[in-house]
Amino acid sequence: QVQLVESGGGSVQAGGSLRLSCVTSGYYPNSLYMGRKRYMGWFRQGPGKEREGVAAIYPGSGSTYYADSVKGRFTISQDNAKKTVYLQMNSLKPDDTAMYYCAAGFLPAESRVLDFTSYNYWGQGIQVTVSS
C-alpha cells in the first residue's frame, strides 16, 4: 500500500518559515494511470475549521496550484528521485496554524485539485503552530 509520511512541522513565530516534506513509500504509481492524472496535494485543518486545500502539484508536468490564502507565501515542489513532495511555507501567520496533511489522488482533470474529496491516499498529518 502507498504510504505518505509528513515531516518538518513545528512551532514558529509569525513571519517565520517552515518546510514540510512528504515521502512516499511502498507502491509508487505512475503519473498517468487508468486515464487519470496523479496529483499530490497539501491540505490543512485548523481547530474548529473545515479541511481545506493548500497546494497541489501534478508530477507529470510540474504544474502547481494554490489556494488564494497562501499564494505568494507557500511553494509546492517535488524531488522525483527521492519520491518526495515539499511545501515551503514563508511569511507564516497565526491563521496558518493547523494540522497539515499530504495526499495523493487520481483525477481526470485539474478542476478539483484542491478539493479533499479528490484524494484517497493520506498521510497521518503534522502539526504546524504559528504564534504571534
Side-chain angles (χ1 to χ4, degrees):
Q1 182 181 4
V2 174
Q3 296 182 7
L4 308 176
V5 181
E6 303 98 336
S7 63
S11 180
V12 298
Q13 292 284 328
S17 299
L18 285 173
R19 189 178 76 161
L20 305 182
S21 299
C22 174
V23 180
T24 299
S25 62
Y27 176 70
Y28 192 73
N30 295 325
S31 59
L32 184 64
Y33 183 71
M34 297 178 64
R36 299 189 174 200
K37 299 176 180 179
R38 177 176 59 82
Y39 287 82
M40 301 296 299
W42 285 98
F43 296 79
R44 68 185 183 186
Q45 186 165 14
K49 301 179 180 179
E50 62 184 10
R51 186 169 12 166
E52 64 174 339
V54 177
I57 186 170
Y58 173 49
S61 66
S63 298
T64 58
Y65 313 83
Y66 297 94
D68 289 339
S69 60
V70 305
K71 285 183 178 178
R73 299 189 298 121
F74 291 11
T75 303
I76 188 170
S77 61
Q78 66 175 358
D79 185 329
N80 290 331
K82 296 181 179 180
K83 297 182 175 63
T84 301
V85 177
Y86 303 96
L87 184 67
Q88 178 67 45
M89 304 183 293
N90 298 327
S91 301
L92 284 163
K93 307 174 181 179
D95 284 347
D96 295 319
T97 295
M99 285 289 294
Y100 283 71
Y101 300 88
C102 179
F106 294 89
L107 283 66
E110 62 184 2
S111 60
R112 300 174 63 243
V113 295
L114 295 179
D115 185 342
F116 74 90
T117 63
S118 298
Y119 296 78
N120 50 13
Y121 294 98
W122 293 87
Q124 291 296 304
I126 190 166
Q127 180 67 39
V128 171
T129 301
V130 184
S131 59
S132 60

